[in-house]
Amino acid sequence: GYDRKKSGGYLMRSLSSDEQQLMGGGGGTNNNNSNSSSPDSQGNRKSIEVTENCPEFNALSALFGTASICNNASVTNDDDDGVHMGQPTEIALLVGSEKANISDPRPNYHRLQEIPFSSDRKRMEVKCRPVGGAHTCTAFSLSARRYHHLNGDAPISSDGSLYFVKGMPESILGECQTHTAHDGSAVPLTESGKARALAESRKMAGCGLRVLAMAYGPSLDSLTFAGIVGLEDPPREGVVESVAHLEKGGVKVIMVTGDSRETAIAIAKRCGIIGGTKSISGESSLSDNDRPAVISKKRGSFEDSGTEDEFLDLSSSTASTYDIEYGQHALSGAELDAIGAHNLPDSIIGVKVFYRVAPRHKLALVRALQKRGEVVAMTGDGVNDATALKAADIGIAMGKGGTDVAKEAADVVLADDDFTTITHAIAEGKGIFFNIRNFLSFQLSTSFAALAMESVA
């Protein structure tokens, strides 16, 4: 389940503002009025409280406003823990907006159209019109009044409606022509700016964060980049030990995910799937206690600020390091498409991480492993996992968070959605198997001795 006080933490960054940094905590208290400061050795990275008086509040409102509007989850504050409904990723976005002191703008908008997230498109789009004719933040109001380049007398959006998009950074940034400045206005987004945003997203993903990009605009051909958001979804307690026990028992654990390469490798390394099974204390989750939302006062230029190290100092790991150390352990969905079906069983030998995959890739992997003579157990919880769950020798669905389609297609349903339960089940199964084998060995040996004695007699 999703716990607002222990939600795994999140780290958010508005690249659309001028070198401003937004950081928040997914756990701990819900006190948004606390101050936090973390200056460096020169003291030039002092943090302040996020309020409406912040000069960057308009840019932050656009970022979190987009994250809230392009969202189907709901969070209420009826008690200390709150009541939540929806996908954990979307719930975390709403909690982040709340901790940044930005109210949910959805009651002020009427949704006209929705294109849901899909594994192939890696993005979600909604079109909304303000109920009273007025948008909730300056950035949205300016975007709705944007005019055609060819016909300067006619606005792109005649009724004030806007498109709000969230999804994979590579997909979103490729369609953005502008980005949000600190005052909410839209300024041109150059190729160097896109490169810096992608470098930042990869840096965040390299720390195990799930990175989403936000954009808005009067049309899908005229989008404004609002920023990127990183959400931490750490491994559950006991997963590292379970993976170690499974590997020791001869069970190969493979990760299949739709996340980016950097995120997938970082999580796989943290779980012990690649790089050994020791716990990585230095790369542990962000603290879940008393982390208010803050922004950095350090100023600069989004387009021309210095090196990447001046942005979020998340980790010393880089994409090149991952390529050198773990490149042979990971394959993307696009790379799987380029491999012929008859060559796939031999091509995936030694590969433990598959990223940016679609449902068809999961099914292809199950069949490829079966062709190699492996007994495949597939875990999943979504509708897209149903075909792979059905094709696997043992389909395992999640009982709490799984869909009805996944449960019907699976052979086993985990009542507690806990990976360690699979480890215990395998241990029990092996115990039964060994007992049966020992029993048969005993019976055959004694029967053979009796027959031999009768023959001699």
Side-chain angles (χ1 to χ4, degrees):
Y2 184 87
D3 190 342
R4 296 180 65 210
K5 288 189 175 182
K6 297 180 180 179
S7 58
Y10 56 86
L11 183 63
M12 303 188 179
R13 168 72 196 274
S14 174
L15 289 180
S16 55
S17 56
D18 295 341
E19 188 67 0
Q20 308 309 315
Q21 176 177 317
L22 177 70
M23 301 178 65
T29 64
N30 288 328
N31 179 14
N32 290 326
N33 297 321
S34 301
N35 292 327
S36 176
S37 60
S38 55
D40 57 14
S41 58
Q42 286 77 27
N44 60 354
R45 195 171 265 229
K46 183 179 179 181
S47 298
I48 61 174
E49 177 188 355
V50 175
T51 65
E52 294 183 2
N53 297 325
C54 296
E56 303 83 11
F57 190 78
N58 288 325
L60 301 178
S61 297
L63 174 64
F64 287 108
T66 302
S68 299
I69 295 174
C70 192
N71 198 312
N72 290 324
S74 63
V75 174
T76 59
N77 298 316
D78 295 337
D79 50 35
D80 293 338
D81 293 332
V83 179
H84 60 271
M85 294 181 62
Q87 296 293 328
T89 298
E90 294 191 331
I91 294 173
L93 293 174
L94 296 179
V95 174
S97 300
E98 176 187 341
K99 292 195 173 186
N101 291 328
I102 297 174
S103 58
D104 190 348
R106 287 179 296 180
N108 300 317
Y109 286 88
H110 175 64
R111 183 173 291 188
L112 303 175
Q113 180 185 1
E114 175 184 349
I115 303 177
F117 178 89
S118 67
S119 301
D120 294 325
R121 299 176 65 252
K122 304 292 186 185
R123 55 190 290 174
M124 173 184 177
E125 303 160 358
V126 297
K127 183 180 181 181
C128 298
R129 182 180 64 238
V131 175
H135 288 275
T136 56
C137 74
T138 303
F140 296 163
S141 299
L142 295 175
S143 180
R145 294 197 295 266
R146 191 177 304 168
Y147 289 88
H148 287 284
H149 293 289
L150 299 179
N151 185 3
D153 297 332
I156 299 177
S157 176
S158 58
D159 58 354
S161 60
L162 290 176
Y163 284 90
F164 300 92
V165 186
K166 78 170 185 283
M168 182 174 65
E170 293 86 349
S171 174
I172 303 299
L173 277 167
E175 300 184 10
C176 292
Q177 290 77 38
T178 59
H179 70 88
T180 311
H182 68 278
D183 59 354
S185 61
V187 296
L189 178 61
T190 63
E191 291 301 323
S192 62
K194 293 180 180 181
R196 287 195 59 78
L198 288 176
E200 187 66 22
S201 68
R202 294 190 183 100
K203 190 176 180 182
M204 296 170 69
C207 298
L209 299 179
R210 178 174 298 169
V211 183
L212 295 174
M214 307 293 165
Y216 60 93
S219 70
L220 295 178
D221 297 327
S222 183
L223 292 177
T224 298
F225 177 57
I228 59 175
V229 177
L231 305 100
E232 186 176 21
D233 186 12
R236 291 190 179 186
E237 184 178 356
V239 169
V240 178
E241 292 78 8
S242 297
V243 171
H245 291 157
L246 290 174
E247 294 282 354
K248 186 177 180 180
V251 179
K252 302 174 184 177
V253 181
I254 297 175
M255 175 187 289
V256 183
T257 178
D259 289 330
S260 67
R261 174 190 179 90
E262 293 80 10
T263 301
I265 291 179
I267 295 298
K269 182 180 177 183
R270 190 178 300 178
C271 292
I273 297 176
I274 60 176
T277 57
K278 66 178 182 179
S279 176
I280 307 172
S281 58
E283 297 180 7
S284 60
S285 303
L286 302 177
S287 174
D288 287 338
N289 298 319
D290 302 325
R291 294 187 299 175
V294 297
I295 61 174
S296 171
K297 294 184 68 176
K298 183 177 178 181
R299 302 303 297 265
S301 171
F302 172 64
E303 298 289 345
D304 302 318
S305 52
T307 64
E308 294 178 16
D309 294 336
E310 295 181 1
F311 283 84
L312 292 180
D313 185 15
L314 299 176
S315 170
S316 59
S317 299
T318 62
S320 60
T321 302
Y322 287 125
D323 290 338
I324 295 174
E325 295 183 4
Y326 307 111
Q328 69 275 18
H329 295 295
L331 283 177
S332 67
E335 291 171 332
L336 291 176
D337 288 332
I339 301 175
H342 58 287
N343 292 327
L344 188 59
D346 295 330
S347 300
I348 62 175
I349 295 177
V351 180
K352 295 187 176 182
V353 176
F354 298 90
Y355 61 96
R356 295 296 191 207
V357 299
R360 66 179 184 277
H361 299 132
K362 299 178 182 179
L363 179 60
L365 289 172
V366 169
R367 291 175 174 172
L369 291 170
Q370 289 173 335
K371 287 183 179 180
R372 288 171 47 192
E374 305 280 3
V375 177
V376 182
M378 168 76 184
T379 62
D381 57 1
V383 175
N384 294 334
D385 300 324
T387 55
L389 290 172
K390 193 70 175 178
D393 297 290
I394 306 172
I396 306 173
M398 305 296 111
K400 291 182 179 180
T403 60
D404 292 336
V405 176
K407 295 177 185 178
E408 289 293 332
D411 302 297
V412 179
V413 178
L414 294 182
D416 56 1
D417 290 7
D418 195 342
F419 186 80
T420 57
T421 303
I422 300 177
T423 306
H424 298 322
I426 293 176
E428 291 291 336
K430 282 193 171 185
I432 296 173
F433 172 78
F434 290 138
N435 288 336
I436 294 175
R437 188 175 66 175
N438 292 335
F439 173 77
L440 292 176
S441 299
F442 172 76
Q443 290 293 331
L444 292 175
S445 61
T446 54
S447 297
F448 177 78
L451 291 174
M453 292 177 64
E454 291 182 1
S455 299
V456 172

